[in-house]
Amino acid sequence: MARKSSSAPALPAGYSEDPAAPPMLRYQASLPKLPVPTLESTCAKYLETVQPLLTPTEYSKTKNAVSSFLSSPQAAELQRRLKDRAAAPETVSWLIDWWNEAAYMGYRDPVVVYVSYFFVHVNDRLRRDPAKRAASLIKAMLPFRDLVESGRLEPEKVRGAPLCMASYKWLFHSSRYPVKPSDTAQKFDPKSNNHIVVLRKNRFYLVPLANEAGVEFSAAELEAQLNNIIAHAGTTPHPTPIGALTSDNRDLWADAREALLAASPSGKNAELLKKIEGAMVIVALDDTKPITREQISWGAWTGDGRNRWYDKHQLIVFDNGRSGFLGEHSCMDGTPTLRMNEFMLASLAHGKIDLGPEHVDSSKLPQVQELVFDINDKVKELVKGAESRFDELVSKHDLHVLHYEGFGKNFCKHHKVSPDAAAQLTKQLAFHKMFNRPGVTYESAQTRKFQLGRTEVIRSASNESKAWAEAMLNPKIAYLIRLLKDPVHLRTLFNRAATRHIQYANWAADGQGVDRHLFGLKKLIKEGEPLPEIYTDPAFAQSSHWELSTSQLSSPYFDGWGYGEVVPDGYGLSYSIGDDYVRWTITSLKRQTEVLKHYLAEAATEVKHMLEAAAKKDKEAEKAEKSRL
């Protein structure tokens, strides 16, 4: 594979290719390291982002706390320690180990609902049969796996600058493990684990991806094997669904895993677990037929808690041929799995995948191989407990989808506004409508322009967004009168808020946000040292209590995606922006989720009307100006 052609665009200054590295990783060594922002910059941004959330009295107290921190010898010492950590020769990223531990591996709540995220695939109308659909997805995944595992996948770039590709290691043949006090992960050899594990009716089946001669099975052969599995599993679910254990609290799952291993003194269960954990991916064949966006989102997000293995990435295929993907979040964020799913779905849609011959010689197919665990009464008891806790957790949740037509990239481009900023401001307006104040908002920004970069927070609530929302909701003047009288003023406030959002988004992507820096400084406070007032001030907890956990992933090949809330009184608010729509998936612990959905639709309509009314005023003013000339 050629590294680059003579017509390839030049790299930005500071980047170079490593001739010893595989193509996928050829820029890794020259990627910059995650920077340590200045104390002055972080404190100034922090004050700006907490101000709209506080009363003037509260803000004055916080300002004093920040000023005291900024001028303290302790702050200077913590900054020195952080810069020393970042500059150490052995340090690739000063943040990564701390962040992976705090956000993922040390997190003990169940991964399903709280950590995992899901994609809903667009409907493939040519493949309504579940085995046919699943076989095509598996076959389309194989060339992407080959590109990743061989290192030939072209690195992603943003504005010409390459991104870190290190997390792609965890895309295939990897697994998370429940361990006290902090989980671990393992990568397996693809060549010696060239198989998938299929779940059907709570049973596990091993399916090799190639025959004994090393020749990949065709889609038709995989389809035949999957149909054999469906027939073998029958109509009655296995009464002890071992997969339910992975849905539990991580400490409980760690104990249950030890009990599962102990239930098989011969080591059989240990070998079966290795086969599951080393598989390329899990394929869950569910026996449901979801139709609505809410139904299929629930199916992809949680399923029934039994026919799953939540410690690994998994493709999910339903009995009506609909499909989705559930991402295991601990070792990678959503952009690599987005790219993989897009590759699969686009390749199939455009006929780019060699599905192989349609003829199947059934005599040459492997026999159905069910992975049957040794189970004792202790394991049965643990599984029942996990099932009960899963059912209780999921029953407390809501999920609603708002697919809003006529307000997407094309509309925003026409009105010269950032689509992401418009979507975020719509959220702020909806939250103001519901709670009469700004929502403490986390928007995820990827920091993969740095070595081992993951994410930083875009703090989306701002003084500017608050001023605009309050103007839109001014109780002294009816909305329609405001809209007809002075939409240009409302648009001016809107554009200021959008500009502010873009600025903070750029800061976050450049590693110049607030949250990771303050997190790193706090991690370096030694035992016996006082906790600075900036951390004990109520504004610190309040401004990082993410009532709206938001993230955008957009693809024409997805019909939805989402995840759970991150605080008990908050909402998960994923969104996608298409050419002519915005789609939100809203989750919460039944905190009037359908009401927030209503206000989102209402806010989107009002934003749309505001921009259209302002554009109409522009034309009227332009026409009047021409008539005067």
Side-chain angles (χ1 to χ4, degrees):
M1 177 179 178
R3 290 294 175 95
K4 63 179 180 179
S5 67
S6 58
S7 61
L11 288 170
Y15 295 95
S16 61
E17 294 192 19
D18 179 359
M24 185 175 79
L25 303 175
R26 65 184 183 268
Y27 302 122
Q28 286 294 116
S30 66
L31 292 179
K33 291 187 177 182
L34 185 70
V36 176
T38 66
L39 284 172
E40 293 77 11
S41 169
T42 293
C43 287
K45 291 168 188 165
Y46 174 69
L47 280 175
E48 188 178 338
T49 59
V50 300
Q51 188 174 13
L53 310 174
L54 305 176
T55 66
T57 301
E58 291 168 338
Y59 179 68
S60 179
K61 182 178 181 296
T62 296
K63 194 173 181 181
N64 289 335
V66 172
S67 178
S68 175
F69 174 71
L70 191 55
S71 61
S72 70
Q74 185 183 20
E77 173 59 19
L78 293 175
Q79 179 77 346
R80 183 195 65 77
R81 292 174 189 173
L82 189 56
K83 293 184 80 170
D84 286 350
R85 175 182 171 94
E90 68 275 11
T91 300
V92 179
S93 163
W94 62 260
L95 174 65
I96 190 66
D97 291 339
W98 285 339
W99 185 247
N100 286 351
E101 168 70 16
Y104 298 106
M105 295 308 191
Y107 186 77
R108 307 324 287 162
D109 283 341
V111 294
V112 60
V113 174
Y114 292 123
V115 181
S116 304
Y117 59 93
F118 68 89
F119 301 146
V120 174
H121 297 157
V122 294
N123 196 9
D124 184 344
R125 300 184 186 279
L126 299 177
R127 299 176 179 90
R128 305 275 189 168
D129 176 82
K132 184 180 288 293
R133 177 59 166 162
S136 71
L137 291 170
I138 296 162
K139 195 66 177 171
M141 185 182 282
L142 292 173
F144 197 80
R145 177 187 67 161
D146 182 53
L147 289 171
V148 170
E149 298 295 344
S150 67
R152 292 182 294 110
L153 184 69
E154 185 64 20
E156 295 168 53
K157 294 180 182 177
V158 172
R159 299 185 186 91
L163 301 182
C164 179
M165 301 292 288
S167 65
Y168 275 80
K169 165 187 174 181
W170 302 101
L171 196 51
F172 305 105
H173 303 281
S174 67
S175 183
R176 177 175 178 157
Y177 287 82
V179 179
K180 295 180 181 180
S182 182
D183 286 4
T184 60
Q186 183 175 342
K187 167 77 175 184
F188 291 81
D189 175 30
K191 293 182 180 177
S192 56
N193 291 276
N194 192 26
H195 64 269
I196 58 173
V197 166
V198 176
L199 282 91
R200 176 71 176 183
K201 297 288 186 179
N202 310 340
R203 303 175 186 273
F204 298 84
Y205 296 90
L206 188 144
V207 177
L209 295 168
N211 63 24
E212 293 181 355
V215 178
E216 276 187 11
F217 287 115
S218 67
E221 289 171 324
L222 290 170
E223 179 185 345
Q225 292 187 69
L226 295 174
N227 274 321
N228 288 341
I229 285 171
I230 291 171
H232 186 277
T235 58
T236 304
H238 193 288
T240 307
I242 297 298
L245 296 174
T246 66
S247 74
D248 215 342
N249 170 280
R250 302 306 293 177
D251 288 345
L252 294 177
W253 169 209
D255 291 339
R257 191 174 190 277
E258 292 303 315
L260 183 62
L261 293 172
S264 177
S266 67
K268 175 186 173 185
N269 286 355
E271 288 302 311
L272 297 185
L273 285 172
K274 282 183 181 179
K275 289 178 180 178
I276 293 170
E277 292 152 356
M280 177 179 78
V281 72
I282 298 293
V283 178
L285 298 178
D286 278 10
D287 57 6
T288 58
K289 297 180 178 181
I291 296 172
T292 68
R293 285 196 167 96
E294 279 80 8
Q295 287 173 342
I296 194 167
S297 293
W298 271 116
W301 183 29
T302 67
D304 66 358
R306 281 81 170 163
N307 201 55
R308 292 286 185 276
W309 192 264
Y310 295 107
D311 283 3
K312 285 178 66 70
H313 296 315
Q314 48 202 316
L315 286 171
I316 300 157
V317 180
F318 303 96
D319 261 1
N320 57 357
R322 293 303 307 269
S323 63
F325 176 86
L326 187 66
E328 202 295 293
H329 207 343
S330 64
C331 293
M332 61 166 42
D333 298 306
T335 48
T337 52
L338 168 70
R339 185 178 179 187
M340 178 191 72
N341 277 271
E342 277 203 312
F343 176 94
M344 294 158 50
L345 298 167
S347 298
L348 289 169
H350 295 284
K352 300 291 187 181
I353 295 296
D354 180 7
L355 298 175
E358 294 186 6
H359 172 73
V360 176
D361 185 347
S362 299
S363 66
K364 294 184 178 180
L365 293 179
Q367 294 294 310
V368 170
Q369 183 181 348
E370 184 178 1
L371 307 180
V372 182
F373 286 94
D374 290 335
I375 298 173
N376 57 20
D377 288 341
K378 176 66 173 175
V379 171
K380 290 179 181 178
E381 178 186 348
L382 291 169
V383 168
K384 286 189 179 301
E387 289 182 87
S388 176
R389 285 184 289 275
F390 171 87
D391 291 342
E392 181 182 4
L393 176 62
V394 171
S395 70
K396 294 177 179 177
H397 278 82
D398 264 349
L399 182 152
H400 288 269
V401 181
L402 171 63
H403 185 89
Y404 189 94
E405 296 278 358
F407 184 177
K409 293 176 185 175
N410 291 334
F411 178 83
C412 291
K413 183 179 179 181
H414 178 74
H415 290 278
K416 299 178 182 178
V417 63
S418 155
D420 187 69
Q424 284 290 334
L425 288 169
T426 301
K427 290 186 184 73
Q428 286 299 318
L429 181 58
F431 198 91
H432 273 266
K433 283 172 172 284
M434 191 164 175
F435 296 102
N436 200 32
R437 61 176 177 82
V440 183
T441 306
Y442 179 122
E443 181 185 356
S444 180
Q446 71 168 355
T447 53
R448 285 177 53 212
K449 65 168 65 175
F450 304 106
Q451 291 188 38
L452 302 185
R454 292 200 64 166
T455 59
E456 173 59 283
V457 183
I458 303 170
R459 290 184 162 214
S460 297
S462 66
N463 289 318
E464 292 82 358
S465 69
K466 182 180 181 181
W468 167 73
E470 288 178 346
M472 290 287 285
L473 300 173
N474 186 345
K476 296 180 181 178
I477 308 172
Y479 170 70
L480 286 176
I481 295 175
R482 292 198 310 278
L483 195 62
L484 293 171
K485 184 179 179 182
D486 204 1
V488 175
H489 174 64
L490 293 174
R491 184 184 62 187
T492 298
L493 294 176
F494 178 85
N495 285 339
R496 286 176 188 165
T499 299
R500 174 65 183 78
H501 180 79
I502 294 166
Q503 181 185 47
Y504 202 100
N506 289 334
W507 283 335
D510 288 340
Q512 298 292 326
V514 165
D515 293 272
R516 304 298 185 253
H517 187 200
L518 290 179
F519 170 79
L521 294 171
K522 190 177 181 182
K523 290 290 289 185
L524 289 168
I525 299 171
K526 296 179 181 178
E527 187 176 350
E529 293 181 339
L531 188 63
E533 190 181 353
I534 190 175
Y535 295 109
T536 60
D537 176 53
F540 181 77
Q542 181 182 346
S543 68
S544 55
H545 184 79
W546 308 119
E547 297 171 303
L548 296 177
S549 175
T550 76
S551 184
Q552 183 205 158
L553 287 176
S554 299
S555 170
Y557 297 100
F558 287 0
D559 201 24
W561 82 286
Y563 47 81
E565 76 288 344
V566 299
V567 295
D569 55 343
Y571 302 86
L573 203 53
S574 61
Y575 59 110
S576 299
I577 305 173
D579 287 342
D580 297 298
Y581 68 84
V582 180
R583 183 172 51 240
W584 286 281
T585 300
I586 319 160
T587 60
S588 82
L589 283 164
K590 293 191 175 178
R591 295 188 60 81
Q592 294 186 291
T593 315
E594 71 283 2
V595 176
L596 182 55
K597 174 183 176 180
H598 167 81
Y599 282 131
L600 273 171
E602 196 171 80
T605 298
E606 291 179 7
V607 170
K608 188 176 179 183
H609 288 171
M610 174 200 70
L611 292 173
E612 289 172 339
K616 184 178 179 182
K617 285 282 187 181
D618 290 344
K619 287 186 177 180
E620 290 172 356
E622 184 181 344
K623 186 177 179 180
E625 180 67 22
K626 285 182 179 179
S627 67
R628 285 196 295 268
L629 296 176

